[in-house]
Amino acid sequence: MGPSYAYFQGKIVPIEEAKVSVMTHALNYGTGAFGGVRAYWNDEEEDLFIFRPLDHFQRILRSGKMLLMDLPYTPESMLNILLQLLQTENYHGEDIYIRPLIYKSSEQIGVKLHDLDCDFTMFALPFGSYIEKEEGSRVTFSSWRRIDDNTIPARGKITGAYANSALIKSDAVLSGFDEALVLNENGHIAEGSAENFFMVRDGVVITPPIYANILEGITRRSIIQLMQEEMGLDVVTREIDRTEVFIADEAFFCGTGVQIVAITEVDHRPVGTGKMGPIVGELRDLYFKLMRGMLPRYRDWNVSVYCTQPEPGA
Ligand code: PMP
């Protein structure tokens, strides 16, 4: 089921009223930036927990800065709006995906970033898995390259840049794979079409660095901490060659949308045993506890929807 409401042009309105013109600058030129945030239902507490919303809003506002957007919002005021939106939707008993979007809203022809209006909109809907086979996905190396930071800011979630992700994803799926790994212009692994990448070799967890043109993932950052603190693992950030994945013991994708997805085959070669390995298995268990607010040590990453009072008049 879709959402019933959206935050649009400064207020919460029925979703049918949240519509833009065909002349909207962002629709024509991809001059927007978006986020993907999840909120998880906790049965015992009968509450919904949003995962690290302030980090997500900070990232979207930073993408806005790159796009010369001057928005009258802060991460805190965006969170306040989100709480009001979720309380209005009154979702209970299911997990939710939240889509904030900032965009050049002027109805104007002309490719540029300056002297244009911008706006912020957001909606939230029930959402399950993004990749069906979370415990064993088949992956290929894409023939497309990941956008370079000198082409479109790779660390931003810029709407136009997602034409790159869409090319990558559709080629992979239409060729019978679940996802693709993408190389950067230097020929090293960057990430998946819309998720960060990790592999395990000889008990060490390895992930590409930010300068490999990856998105600065909030899940990536969170699980690095989790693997170090809760699983006692060494996590190394370094560039990864293509063929290293063929001989890795385990590999996985992570991201708000995909959550944690085991990669069990890459270009027809099994990863490790060809089944989800012990590190990915344990991480997945911890991850879902973390998301539902069940790890007390990280509880300040979970914002309660029904026990947090939004500030009036936001
Ligand atoms: N890389 C790309 C290209 C993405 O679109 C996403 C999803 N936002 C990620 C990585 C994962 O980022 P996060 O953990 O912040 O959702």
Side-chain angles (χ1 to χ4, degrees):
M1 232 185 40
S4 303
Y5 299 93
Y7 179 78
F8 183 65
Q9 296 181 342
K11 53 183 194 296
I12 293 173
V13 298
I15 191 76
E16 305 77 44
E17 292 175 24
K19 298 256 192 315
V20 296
S21 158
V22 290
M23 283 187 68
T24 302
H25 196 273
L27 180 62
N28 284 268
Y29 303 118
T31 49
F34 67 103
V37 189
R38 274 194 192 253
Y40 287 80
W41 181 252
N42 180 317
D43 243 342
E44 209 167 292
E45 297 187 42
E46 294 193 9
D47 201 351
L48 198 54
F49 290 104
I50 317 165
F51 188 67
R52 302 190 79 165
L54 291 174
D55 297 78
H56 280 279
F57 292 132
Q58 185 185 58
R59 185 173 67 191
I60 201 174
L61 286 170
R62 285 178 175 167
S63 293
K65 190 172 178 188
M66 295 182 217
L67 293 176
L68 292 182
M69 288 186 187
D70 192 12
L71 286 152
Y73 295 96
T74 60
E76 289 75 18
S77 69
M78 287 172 143
L79 172 57
N80 214 23
I81 291 162
L82 176 56
L83 288 168
Q84 288 179 26
L85 179 67
L86 289 173
Q87 290 174 7
T88 307
E89 290 278 14
N90 200 24
Y91 289 124
H92 278 75
E94 51 198 344
D95 300 335
I96 302 299
Y97 187 81
I98 300 143
R99 167 54 45 82
L101 171 69
I102 56 179
Y103 62 104
K104 298 282 182 184
S105 54
S106 292
E107 294 169 17
Q108 209 183 96
I109 298 293
V111 183
K112 61 176 187 175
L113 292 173
H114 62 284
D115 295 340
L116 293 166
D117 295 332
C118 54
D119 211 344
F120 164 52
T121 182
M122 183 159 55
F123 56 87
L125 67 163
F127 201 74
S129 300
Y130 180 82
I131 291 181
E132 211 181 302
K133 298 174 204 138
E134 290 188 355
E135 296 185 9
S137 62
R138 295 180 59 243
V139 169
T140 184
F141 276 97
S142 184
S143 62
W144 299 97
R145 293 291 166 115
R146 165 79 179 155
I147 47 154
D148 187 86
D149 197 46
N150 295 304
T151 307
I152 298 180
R155 75 197 64 255
K157 275 183 74 78
I158 314 262
T159 54
Y162 278 77
N164 175 249
S165 297
L167 287 163
I168 294 160
K169 180 77 180 188
S170 284
D171 267 10
V173 171
L174 297 178
S175 306
F177 295 94
D178 302 306
E179 248 303 334
L181 275 162
V182 194
L183 305 176
N184 57 29
E185 289 296 343
N186 297 332
H188 292 116
I189 293 175
E191 53 185 351
S193 68
E195 51 275 325
N196 290 121
F197 172 73
F198 285 80
M199 68 174 188
V200 183
R201 284 190 69 186
D202 302 323
V204 178
V205 181
I206 307 163
T207 194
I210 296 293
Y211 56 81
N213 284 328
I214 66 169
L215 184 82
E216 296 183 356
I218 292 160
T219 315
R220 174 182 179 276
R221 201 189 318 152
S222 307
I223 64 166
I224 287 176
Q225 202 175 328
L226 212 59
M227 288 188 288
Q228 289 170 332
E229 292 177 355
E230 301 300 304
M231 296 169 69
L233 291 167
D234 282 337
V235 183
V236 175
T237 299
R238 67 156 173 84
E239 296 205 286
I240 300 176
D241 288 338
R242 175 182 194 134
T243 56
E244 277 191 279
V245 185
F246 293 155
I247 56 168
D249 304 317
E250 299 185 46
F252 62 97
F253 287 124
C254 78
T256 304
V258 298
Q259 309 178 116
I260 309 283
V261 168
I263 301 171
T264 48
E265 191 186 300
V266 176
D267 281 338
H268 316 291
R269 294 155 178 92
V271 174
T273 61
K275 295 232 156 49
M276 181 168 76
I279 291 179
V280 184
E282 189 184 338
L283 178 64
R284 274 174 58 82
D285 290 345
L286 269 174
Y287 181 82
F288 287 110
K289 284 194 184 126
L290 173 73
M291 292 296 135
R292 294 190 201 286
M294 290 157 72
L295 296 184
R297 185 168 174 183
Y298 306 95
R299 186 71 178 203
D300 59 348
W301 286 349
N302 309 107
V303 175
S304 149
V305 170
Y306 295 113
C307 296
T308 317
Q309 248 346 83
E311 310 261 329

